[in-house]
Amino acid sequence: MGNFGIWVLTICLIFQSGFGFYLPGSYPLKHVVGNYLSVKVNSLTSIDTEMPFSYYSLPFCKPVEGVKDSAENLGELLMGDRIENSPYRFKMHTNETEIFLCQTNKLSSDDFKLLTKRIDEMYQVNLILDNLPAIRYTRKEGFMLRWTGYPIGVKIKDVYYVFNHLKFKVLVHKYEETNVARVMGTGDAVEGFPSVGNKGSDVPGYMVVGFEVIPCSVMHNGDLVKNLKMYEKYPSPIKCEPTTVSMPIKEGEPIVFTYEVTFEESDIKWPSRWDAYLKMEGAKVHWFSILNSLMVITFLAGIVLVIFLRTVRRDLTRYEELDKEAQALVNEELSGWKLVVGDVFRAPSNPALLCIMVGDGVQILGMAIVTILFAALGFMSPASRGTLITGMLFSYMILGIAAGYVAVRLWRTIGFGDHKGWVSVAWKAACFFPGIAFFILTILNFLLWGSHSTGAIPFSLFVILLLLWFCISVPLTLVGGYFGAKAPHIEYPVRTNQIPREIPAQKYPSWLLVLGAGTLPFGTLFIELFFIMSSIWMGRVYYVFGFLFIVLVLLVVVCAEVSLVLTYMHLCVEDWKWWWKSFFASGSVAIYIFLYSINYLIFDLKSLSGPVSATLYLGYSLFMVLTIMFATGTVCTQKMAH
């Protein structure tokens, strides 16, 4: 019955990933005709620098009521999102053209230099309507490409042009309460969904299911707008031609901004409105590559497991069948792992450090499993910005209790049940990996602060993170350490000799085999790694968490099997120092991921410019590979300890 449940869960995850359905992070809003829709702005982003900046850091139009920050969660702040209100506003199902927004002040020398610099760095403007990012379609070589946001401007023959006229298209679908009830999985709670406006629920309304933008560069007559107020009609027709530009940026000259909006009824249902964002190019390659990789790695892992079990079982059976007299006669003929029985459980060098790293690895691995599983089930969909990071952070803190328990129990196991020093081990487990992360992220944060990027973590958020660390994670880790000290330690099946056995000279360095062992775990995830990297650094939406969960489970299995086989090979050559080698056997996959990250930087992020951007990329990559090393290394050490 257990195997059947696993297969059902697997099929559900694949089905969920394939069809892109998610449990919404927000409920559908009913907008009555004529109600105002407010557009929000997010940080300016670029794949050229990977440093986000505030929308209002450039000379754009500001709302009449002033710039206000929207409610943000912890994940949005950590990701560099700064969502603010904008002057763009629409009336539901009301088409409008030639809407005057504002005329900026004359561009100062600093504004001109900053604006042209952002255009050179290919920065994009990100707009949001009813939680939907603005999407832009372009055609290239017969293919329709999708982009989120639009560029600030373009440079043609040493002349900079700004996109100062936006043509919006809002797709709407009639509000149907029966459909909403079916989507939300409830039949009685429909009356609880709020409607925008103060009209009754019987008044027909619409839901926003699409938000498209076409940027244009239009030359405006500054004299015609001197007496115009925001949202008044521009005096002359505006022709929006996306293929032509006509508004050059000049120092000392103002910029006039206008926009138009059309509404179009669509057959797109509210639960499917994110499909346009989730249709990644090369989707078929993605699915078939992942499935092919899973099948090959599963087959190889099965072979490794069968060979290992048959070999060890044969040796054990032959060894147990010998009576004591026969053992005495063949003692001199024994070889391999049977000769190191009295040394195999000897304490490793730096046992406290190993216990701390294993405890932190359990915490990281548990966080990954919980987060990816919830994301695969749809509770952390792309529609809810920042929820993935927030979920990871809080699950990591809660799982501090597991880190303390595992670290202290392993410490007592290595020390043959000795309780001495368990508080120190638990405390260090609570501070070791978070301390490394805090050190790396602080250095990177200083670089972002120096660049005035919104990606920099505010000082107030730093204080909040420290409070969460020391008020939640550290106490829970100490509580877990207390339970680990009270729990019975793992009893070794054999006694350890007082004098360690000399390890024979090896034909080749054993660490070469350890480093090479990471290739097989790397083979389970390198294809998925490409899509994850593209999501992080190329601004693409990652949503196939079902397959990611399966890859994670398969990675754990392969790591355990590789470590078991490698440890057996070391014991066969009478090398009983297996603890650290077991940890790094699969933890060495982090080396190949870091090399892959460098390869991705050279060949896929060719446009990444500047030492600050490269330092940020390598710093975040280092943090990622250290996290993966802790998570994968702990799988093997825990398996071998048991």
Side-chain angles (χ1 to χ4, degrees), residues 38 43 59 83 88 136 139 155 177-178 200 236 256 308 318 334 379 387 481 499 549-551 608:
S38 299
S43 299
I83 300 176
Y88 296 102
R136 176 171 58 96
R139 186 174 295 276
K155 180 182 179 182
E177 295 188 356
T178 53
S236 61
V256 176
F308 175 74
R318 183 187 308 167
L334 294 179
F379 293 101
T387 55
I499 301 176
F549 182 79
I550 297 171
V551 169
L608 196 66

Side-chain angles (χ1 to χ4, degrees), residues 410-432:
L410 183 60
W411 167 258
R412 293 186 59 233
T413 298
I414 293 176
F416 300 96
D418 188 8
H419 292 77
K420 185 178 180 180
W422 74 266
V423 176
S424 175
V425 171
W427 172 256
K428 291 176 181 177
C431 298
F432 185 67

Side-chain angles (χ1 to χ4, degrees), residues 80-371:
D81 290 338
R82 295 295 183 271
I83 300 176
E84 299 164 311
N85 60 333
S86 81
Y88 296 102
R89 69 178 189 183
F90 314 141
K91 289 182 180 179
M92 170 55 73
H93 223 300
T94 304
N95 297 339
E96 297 178 283
T97 58
E98 291 97 28
I99 304 175
F100 170 73
L101 202 59
C102 79
Q103 182 180 29
T104 66
N105 297 326
K106 294 180 179 180
L107 293 180
S108 64
S109 176
D110 292 338
D111 287 338
F112 175 78
K113 290 179 181 178
L114 184 61
L115 193 56
T116 54
K117 181 182 178 182
R118 295 290 181 258
I119 293 175
D120 281 334
E121 294 170 337
M122 300 185 296
Y123 269 87
Q124 304 276 324
V125 178
N126 300 292
L127 304 178
I128 302 171
L129 176 64
D130 195 26
N131 204 37
L132 280 180
I135 193 169
R136 176 171 58 96
Y137 292 95
T138 59
R139 186 174 295 276
K140 183 178 181 180
E141 299 178 356
F143 293 95
M144 187 65 73
L145 303 178
R146 304 175 186 86
W147 310 86
T148 53
Y150 66 91
I152 295 172
V154 64
K155 180 182 179 182
I156 300 177
K157 296 181 180 180
D158 296 328
V159 179
Y160 293 90
Y161 297 87
V162 65
F163 291 120
N164 61 332
H165 180 81
L166 300 181
K167 185 177 182 180
F168 295 105
K169 182 166 75 170
V170 181
L171 304 180
V172 296
H173 186 82
K174 286 188 177 180
Y175 186 87
E176 301 172 357
E177 295 188 356
T178 53
N179 287 348
V180 174
R182 184 171 64 251
V183 169
M184 301 301 291
T186 176
D188 301 321
V190 181
E191 296 177 356
F193 296 142
S195 299
V196 175
N198 52 13
K199 298 186 179 182
S201 60
D202 57 333
V203 178
Y206 294 88
M207 299 175 291
V208 177
V209 295
F211 183 37
E212 301 175 11
V213 62
I214 299 176
C216 298
S217 179
V218 179
M219 175 63 75
H220 293 301
N221 189 338
D223 295 332
L224 296 178
V225 300
K226 286 183 178 180
N227 299 322
L228 286 182
K229 296 182 179 180
M230 187 175 288
Y231 307 122
E232 290 185 350
K233 197 172 183 66
Y234 188 76
S236 61
I238 299 175
K239 191 175 182 180
C240 181
E241 293 288 346
T243 56
T244 60
V245 291
S246 57
M247 180 57 200
I249 303 172
K250 296 180 180 179
E251 186 176 341
E253 295 290 334
I255 303 175
V256 176
F257 288 91
T258 55
Y259 71 97
E260 60 185 280
V261 58
T262 58
F263 286 82
E264 181 179 306
E265 293 196 25
S266 171
D267 294 331
I268 299 174
K269 303 290 186 180
W270 190 84
S272 304
R273 65 180 191 157
W274 272 85
D275 288 357
Y277 304 87
L278 304 182
K279 291 179 180 177
M280 302 168 63
E281 273 64 37
K284 291 185 179 179
V285 176
H286 176 84
W287 302 122
F288 288 117
S289 297
I290 294 296
L291 288 174
N292 179 67
S293 177
L294 292 175
M295 292 172 61
V296 171
I297 297 302
T298 304
F299 178 71
L300 292 176
I303 293 177
V304 170
L305 184 61
V306 169
I307 292 175
F308 175 74
L309 290 178
R310 291 185 62 184
T311 303
V312 175
R313 187 176 299 168
R314 184 174 60 249
D315 284 345
L316 287 174
T317 302
R318 183 187 308 167
Y319 190 63
E320 291 173 354
E321 287 178 350
L322 297 175
D323 54 26
K324 294 183 179 180
E325 295 181 359
Q327 287 183 32
L329 294 175
V330 299
N331 239 352
E332 297 181 358
E333 300 179 4
L334 294 179
S335 61
W337 65 270
K338 295 178 284 293
L339 293 175
V340 294
V341 170
D343 297 278
V344 70
F345 292 112
R346 191 175 301 279
S349 57
N350 299 315
L353 179 60
L354 178 64
C355 296
I356 292 166
M357 293 177 69
V358 170
D360 287 343
V362 168
Q363 189 176 7
I364 295 170
L365 185 61
M367 173 202 68
I369 293 174
V370 171
T371 305

Side-chain angles (χ1 to χ4, degrees), residues 563-598:
S563 183
L564 286 171
V565 173
L566 191 72
T567 303
Y568 177 72
M569 293 174 65
H570 279 100
L571 295 179
C572 284
V573 294
E574 303 177 33
D575 183 357
W576 47 266
K577 295 182 178 181
W578 62 271
W579 288 95
W580 282 108
K581 293 172 184 176
S582 172
F583 184 91
F584 288 111
S586 57
S588 62
V589 67
I591 298 175
Y592 299 97
I593 293 177
F594 190 71
L595 294 176
Y596 181 86
S597 300
I598 296 175

